[in-house]
Amino acid sequence: MATDQLKICIVGAGLTGSLLALYLAKRGLKSVIYEKRPDFRNISPDRNRTIAMSLSERGWHALKEVDMLETVQKIGAPKYGRATYRMEGTPMLQHYGKSHQAIYTVNRRDLNNLLLEKAESTGMIDFHFEHICTDINFETNTIDVQDKANGSASQETFDYIFGADGGLSSVREIMERNTDHSFKTQILSCAYKELEMPPLDTVSEKVLLDYLHIWVSRHAFIMAQMCCDGSFISTLFNDLQGTYSFNQIRTDEDVVSYFNTSFPSLKKYIPDILSQYFINPTSNIHTVECPRWNYRDRSLLIGDAAHAMAPFYGMGMNTCFEDCSIFNALLDEFDGHMGRAITQFTSRRKEDADLMARLSLKNFDSITASIAPTYDAKWKLERLIAEHYPELFTPQYVLIAFTRMPISQVIRKAENQNRMIENILKDAHPDIFTDRKILEQSLEQYFVEVRQ
């Protein structure tokens, strides 16, 4: 069948579904998108559900491939490192990588709207908003859809179906119900709540606007990212159960006590904390693990529908965007043969997605430990080594955020580098972290021995 006659269905018009449709449109392929929600562009912004997303190299590369790089850069605010606050409010500054390397904060709604506008402008995509996917016959690729506006039901058969409908994917649930696939979904014991901070206006604080701000306390932390308008979108990550948990904070007095005890230096940044806390919802964090993402050569889960992960590394969206880029590369490899690309996608992509998901979970502990002097010292040591010996050392975070090296390779390289750090510190002078000259001498001696 000629490619321009293929019938392709994408369930989900979110970030992944819109981007995938753009990739297909660039190849001259038309698609139909069913989205259960209304058109996001026609809904008034909900300040209580404004999610800040982090864009790094893997995501930027995908946007560049669909000619969206410059458009999205206009709504991004760069972050060159993180300011991690101790209880008394003094921040430790930790640069991500080199001076020009930055993570960009984007508003999820704004980014999704830009993708939708671009997709619609191609004339290759037929959008159906407020249409719910109720069933799929994966043997015939026949999909049942209900129109929420009038309740009418319809049925259509496609050559290929893509489930890009997020962590709570209906396509995945139907695939598990109607095929031999089984999936592992989990709700974490940690949840999150969005809190908005007004723009900062003091001279000293303006110096830190190019940083991700993190306040850490016990087994919770707040992460704040500045948007282009100067306001901050912050997220409180906290346990659902137990002392100081979301379920234990029920009254105004509880909120005041919680922030006085856990984040005393943060109160001045959120003057309306009481009203925000009870208006803004507490949201669960879902993770998904699938043994395989395709059904034969005709249906595929992609993005969060296949591998929803914890948000603690800021790589969820970037991983989804990289999915689309890799699927497009498979289409190139197989001369545009959609079925072959679908069957190969799981084996080509799953290991890296699973490893990224595990790193994301582990990073919760890393963030809560980031105020420790030893953590800060190790962070800075890694970057100093990378500065002097870039051919031998690159910090793990830099490899993940600022390169497109497969995550499996990143892990292997990071394991070797951790052993390197341990060897450097094993017989190091006690003042190695406080005296730069001693540190540089220790590094020089170690790498001379390595090269010999």
Side-chain angles (χ1 to χ4, degrees), residues 109-177:
R109 173 193 169 89
D110 293 343
L111 177 57
N112 208 154
N113 287 351
L114 288 177
L115 289 169
L116 287 173
E117 291 289 343
K118 178 74 170 181
E120 191 172 65
S121 72
T122 66
M124 303 289 286
I125 301 153
D126 185 12
F127 287 100
H128 296 273
F129 291 97
E130 296 190 86
H131 279 66
I132 304 173
C133 170
T134 57
D135 203 7
I136 302 173
N137 182 329
F138 288 99
E139 297 301 326
T140 61
N141 256 21
T142 301
I143 184 169
D144 293 342
V145 179
Q146 183 178 43
D147 186 337
K148 290 175 65 176
N150 56 31
S152 63
S154 60
Q155 189 178 80
E156 190 161 358
T157 300
F158 293 91
D159 297 300
Y160 302 102
I161 295 175
F162 293 89
D165 49 340
L168 300 177
S169 169
S170 60
V171 176
R172 186 183 65 243
E173 187 273 328
I174 295 168
M175 187 178 288
E176 183 170 29
R177 187 175 71 226

Side-chain angles (χ1 to χ4, degrees), residues 69-81:
L69 181 65
E70 293 182 2
T71 302
V72 176
Q73 282 178 335
K74 295 175 182 178
I75 65 166
K79 302 290 175 290
Y80 296 94

Side-chain angles (χ1 to χ4, degrees), residues 93 202-211:
L93 303 183
T202 67
V203 174
S204 61
E205 288 165 338
K206 280 186 179 294
V207 175
L208 303 179
L209 295 185
D210 290 342
Y211 286 79

Side-chain angles (χ1 to χ4, degrees), residues 296-343:
R296 298 183 180 174
D297 62 350
R298 62 191 71 168
S299 303
L300 181 70
L301 300 173
I302 191 168
D304 282 346
H307 51 64
M309 61 187 65
F312 309 132
Y313 217 113
M315 284 299 296
M317 178 180 67
N318 293 286
T319 304
C320 293
F321 282 8
E322 192 174 45
D323 279 358
C324 297
S325 177
I326 288 174
F327 184 78
N328 185 63
L330 284 170
L331 287 174
D332 285 338
E333 182 178 335
F334 298 122
D335 298 323
H337 194 290
M338 188 78 66
R340 292 187 65 187
I342 285 174
T343 57

Side-chain angles (χ1 to χ4, degrees), residues 138-262:
F138 288 99
E139 297 301 326
T140 61
N141 256 21
T142 301
I143 184 169
D144 293 342
V145 179
Q146 183 178 43
D147 186 337
K148 290 175 65 176
N150 56 31
S152 63
S154 60
Q155 189 178 80
E156 190 161 358
T157 300
F158 293 91
D159 297 300
Y160 302 102
I161 295 175
F162 293 89
D165 49 340
L168 300 177
S169 169
S170 60
V171 176
R172 186 183 65 243
E173 187 273 328
I174 295 168
M175 187 178 288
E176 183 170 29
R177 187 175 71 226
N178 292 353
T179 71
D180 61 350
H181 283 43
S182 62
F183 307 108
K184 180 182 178 182
T185 59
Q186 182 179 2
I187 299 176
L188 300 187
S189 60
C190 172
Y192 70 92
K193 184 186 292 286
E194 299 292 330
L195 301 168
E196 185 177 3
M197 298 181 187
L200 302 179
D201 56 8
T202 67
V203 174
S204 61
E205 288 165 338
K206 280 186 179 294
V207 175
L208 303 179
L209 295 185
D210 290 342
Y211 286 79
L212 170 70
H213 295 258
I214 302 175
W215 288 263
V216 179
S217 176
R218 296 183 179 86
H219 298 293
F221 63 89
I222 291 177
M223 186 177 294
Q225 306 185 62
M226 192 193 77
C227 299
C228 285
D229 64 359
S231 66
F232 279 77
I233 299 174
S234 62
T235 309
L236 167 62
F237 294 98
N238 193 19
D239 288 335
L240 281 169
Q241 305 285 345
T243 308
Y244 299 107
S245 67
F246 280 124
N247 288 351
Q248 291 296 315
I249 304 173
R250 300 171 182 169
T251 66
D252 287 359
E253 291 75 16
D254 291 340
V255 174
V256 172
S257 175
Y258 176 74
F259 280 89
N260 282 342
T261 303
S262 301

